Amino acid sequence: MIKTFLVAGWMVAAAAGADWSAPAEVRHDDRRCVTYRARAAAGYLTVEAVHDEGWHTYALDNRVRALEKLAGRQSTGIDRPTELRVTGLELDGPWRQTAPKDVSNPELLLFTWVFSGRAVFIAKLKGPVAEPVNIAIRGQACTESTCKEINVALAVPAPRTESGGPPADWSGLVPVR
């Protein structure tokens, strides 16, 4: 009886996540840094990043934000932003992202914004989705002492339905500059 409930629970969980891509992990040696997955549903493309403890990645608009803060002054460096390159569909407007955390050090003219824990990126789609949809993700994942290059790809399954509104996460996101 318990086995039946476990199997049924697993089947429900698998069906609920069936519209997500297979996860893509970024690893440094034997440690996972960050895991990405994506889906196209209800007219929106969603990319989720889940960072392991101690790891962070950089905002999609990290460079733009840093240059605004520098206001023409020379920086000692700008951390590489996360890049999402989509093929197989058109986006209808800019990406929105989880509000990144400001970890800048203005005294040293270092300006940077990061994600840790769970971060979400969402863009509205233009027109219907036709497979294959691919997302190339580039950037860097870092701890306090090391960085790992991000170079992964996601194959996004076609959505089961095109009805509905924006995902629930949409309202708490900020526009990418």
Side-chain angles (χ1 to χ4, degrees), residues 84-141:
L84 304 173
R85 296 196 181 162
V86 181
T87 58
L89 58 76
E90 265 190 88
L91 301 180
D92 188 13
W95 285 97
R96 296 179 69 85
Q97 63 187 351
T98 297
K101 179 181 177 186
D102 185 347
V103 295
S104 300
N105 188 338
E107 297 81 33
L108 298 177
L109 294 178
L110 292 172
F111 297 97
T112 198
W113 290 261
V114 301
F115 302 113
S116 57
R118 180 177 179 263
V120 177
F121 313 101
I122 298 177
K124 190 169 186 186
L125 300 177
K126 183 184 277 187
V129 176
E131 287 189 274
V133 174
N134 295 297
I135 303 173
I137 304 171
R138 306 286 185 268
Q140 61 184 4

Side-chain angles (χ1 to χ4, degrees), residues 51-73:
H51 302 80
D52 279 48
E53 185 68 32
W55 289 92
H56 61 267
T57 56
Y58 298 93
L60 272 65
D61 52 6
N62 197 56
R63 182 170 187 74
V64 171
R65 289 169 179 261
L67 292 173
E68 286 174 359
K69 289 287 188 178
L70 287 165
R73 296 173 290 175

Side-chain angles (χ1 to χ4, degrees), residues 25-59:
E25 291 184 349
V26 176
R27 299 186 77 82
H28 178 65
D29 296 331
D30 62 345
R31 288 188 60 202
R32 186 177 55 215
C33 311
V34 60
T35 303
Y36 292 94
R37 67 180 185 157
R39 73 176 174 181
Y44 291 84
L45 180 62
T46 302
V47 177
E48 177 188 66
V50 178
H51 302 80
D52 279 48
E53 185 68 32
W55 289 92
H56 61 267
T57 56
Y58 298 93

